[in-house]
Amino acid sequence: MTTDGVDGKPEVREAPAPERTEVPEHAEAAGTAGAEEAPAPDPEKAVWRGPTAWVVPALLTVLGLVGVWGGLTIEAPPNATRPGPGAFPAVVGVLLLITAACMAVVNLRNRATGDGTPSLAWFEGRPVLLVLAGLVVHVALLEFLGWLLAGALLFWTVAYAFGARAHLRDATVALSVSAAVQVGFSLGLGLSLPGGFLELVL
Amino acid sequence: MDTLIDLAGGLAAALTPQNLVWAFLGVLLGTAVGVLPGMGSAMAVALLLPVTFRLDPTAAFILFAGVYYGGMFGGATTSILLNTPGQASSIATTYEGHRMALTGRAAQALGTAVIGSFVASVIGTMVVALFAPVMVEFALNFGPGEYFALTVFSFVAVAAVVSGSVVRGIASLLIGLAIGMVGIDGQSGTARFDFGSSSLLDGVDIVIVTVGLLALGEVLYIAARGRSAPNFAAIRAGRPWLGRKDLRRSWKPWLRGTALGSAFGPIPGSGSEIPTFLSLGLERKLAERRERRTGERSEFGRGAIEGVAGPESANNSSAAGTMVPLLGLGLPTSATAAIMLAAFQQYGLQPGPVLFERNADLVWTLLASLLVGSVMLLIINLPFAPLWAKLLKLPKPYLYAGISLFSVLAVYAINTSVVHLVILLAIALVGLGMRTFGVPVAPALIGVVLGPIAETEFRRALAASSGDPAILVSSGISIGLYALVVMAAVIPLIAHLRRRRADRAADVRKPAGLV
């Protein structure tokens, strides 16, 4: 028995739904309409196959190299006690490299036995890129546009990525939530979120 | 006997209408932030600090304590219903709790969580009040060597308990340790891994890591899952209710969880993650044993009520337990406790043995108001949990849009700096990668929190012994802890090898059957 991370289980659809009540009001917005879907694999138990199998070992190797590099180059002040500030980074770096090597060995072994089917077929890149784009734009424009507009834009983009298509209603909800947060924070908690250029105009 | 009289005096002070209002405000706010993903009680207390500066200290601390306890209760609700733990301490609840919700038993999961939290809070607070002197004395025996042994034990326990794959669990832990090393080294004052950015000198705030890995990483992951993501519409909340059978299965995990939480809460560095995961592991083992003995099927993996009752009780009693080192030693053992320590200092109070002498009335009123707060939380959570469940009626796009918005807000609110938002984005990407490739997230969080503590204690121990490593194993406490480390490392390894052998045998059979 493994504890699979924080992801939901595919059992959802087999779950008994005794009183299948009203269809949710926003059924067109909820992206999960189909009934016959291939259940997503449980990533925590899935074996890595194909080129993507090397992503995690590569990440660990890079982190490990940075750690070892830091361990070797960080200069301790002359009066510092030993072990100095570089000791822990070096140890963690070496452990990261060892872990990466273990994963690489497992990968090579799996390549010999596997059937070569890609394990990440379920991954949908488009919505992820949309959400990421929304976040990047939000961070870039937050101080110029102000919280109200940048926050609303982020809300709208993420909602769009998740399949919301009622553009006018989405925009209204986005603006209201963003405004409520700004008012709540500045009045209730005395924390000022950036006003942006609206502050200059109004 | 003296303690009881002191506590009664504190209760009288806590029951004034004014203090009751502060306690009620605190628990309401705490439940709200506990429910909201990415907003923990630590952040709420931090945000409240400037607002409460003009209050008298007693009122302020009653408010903070209410937020702290409220966050623990509220965290369970979203862990169960939405699989988005509001804070790290409720991660353990998600495993079985959310599965119960998915199989239509959300009402029972919420019921056992709320009542278990109440039982644990009351017992935990009483334990703190009655045994504070004893526990403080025990914690005072810890030198740097023992602290280090404790953190090593926590690392191994977490990597072994949480993950399905040991290598991936260790990888996650190491990623967390690496993130925790960024910033100025507390021992020597040397800047490490700042890459020339002054924002990184303070290190990566735990709020950023938590929000990035748990909240924003989850949003990205659900986006990637697309159509194969779980459907909340199947979840029915209902009024929290425990049948006779659920009650029979719940009460022992409540008490076991409370005991674990009370034991670990006061130990610096252990936080509430360790006892919650230990409780989850313990209940699973016990259920498996019962299955072998009596044939009653273990429901772990399919939504076991024991897996909610135990961790939730452990969570709350350890929250109470962290008050012991905070009040008795001035030593914070959790993010919230750290911020409360900052609050004490803001009022010119120094927690520690002196506080018990000079400000005894404040301490006892605070402890008594925790009892009052627990009763309030039971009242506002048990009948009104369906109200929180209304979150499920939110259309999914709006829900995730809202989580994204609050994540950005939470991080921006700490420092009002855009650089921290860029760090948040980077960590969210790491979180997406970890989820996609099945690397568990929880060990990374433990690594970030405990890594710096482990390093500091290790170096402090060696500095004290002028470099002689024998100090690390010089006491019975640390030797005992290392023995536990070996046990925690070896037992899952054997189980893992055994499972792999079984899997292989199954693999060999399967293709043969197909052909």
Side-chain angles (χ1 to χ4, degrees), chain B residues 76-84 97-98 101-102 106-107 110 232 235-238 385-386 388-392:
Chain B
T77 308
T78 38
S79 300
I80 291 167
L81 296 179
L82 296 179
N83 202 14
T84 39
H98 189 58
L102 290 179
L110 286 174
F232 293 148
I235 300 170
R236 295 271 177 280
W388 300 118
K390 290 271 188 276
L391 281 173
L392 296 178

Side-chain angles (χ1 to χ4, degrees), chain A residues 7-200:
Chain A
D7 59 303
K9 296 285 289 172
E11 273 110 83
V12 200
R13 267 153 227 100
E14 281 114 61
E19 344 115 69
R20 194 82 193 151
T21 49
E22 80 287 356
V23 178
E25 201 191 327
H26 311 293
E28 88 280 357
T32 61
E36 295 296 316
E37 294 151 10
D42 174 6
E44 208 153 303
K45 275 181 264 176
V47 176
W48 300 334
R49 293 194 196 287
T52 50
W54 298 95
V55 172
V56 178
L59 177 75
L60 294 183
T61 310
V62 171
L63 271 179
L65 288 177
V66 172
V68 173
W69 165 78
L72 296 178
T73 53
I74 288 170
E75 285 174 24
N79 57 345
T81 52
R82 295 182 55 80
F88 247 65
V91 170
V92 172
V94 168
L95 287 176
L96 275 164
L97 292 177
I98 292 175
T99 313
C102 286
M103 287 178 164
V105 169
V106 172
N107 273 348
L108 288 174
R109 235 195 252 155
N110 284 336
R111 199 162 62 169
T113 60
D115 50 4
T117 43
S119 50
L120 290 181
W122 52 267
F123 193 96
E124 289 182 29
R126 214 180 83 93
V128 177
L129 288 178
L130 272 172
V131 174
L132 278 177
L135 285 167
V136 169
V137 168
H138 173 83
V139 173
L141 295 183
L142 176 60
E143 303 213 312
F144 171 68
L145 282 184
W147 169 265
L148 183 65
L149 291 182
L153 191 62
L154 173 67
F155 190 102
W156 189 85
T157 318
V158 176
Y160 182 86
F162 275 91
R165 289 295 179 275
H167 300 307
L168 190 64
R169 196 185 61 202
D170 297 343
T172 319
V173 173
L175 272 173
S176 336
V177 172
S178 181
V181 166
Q182 178 137 26
V183 170
F185 260 69
S186 41
L187 290 187
L189 295 172
L191 191 111
S192 63
L193 293 162
F197 73 89
L198 282 180
E199 229 165 49
L200 303 174

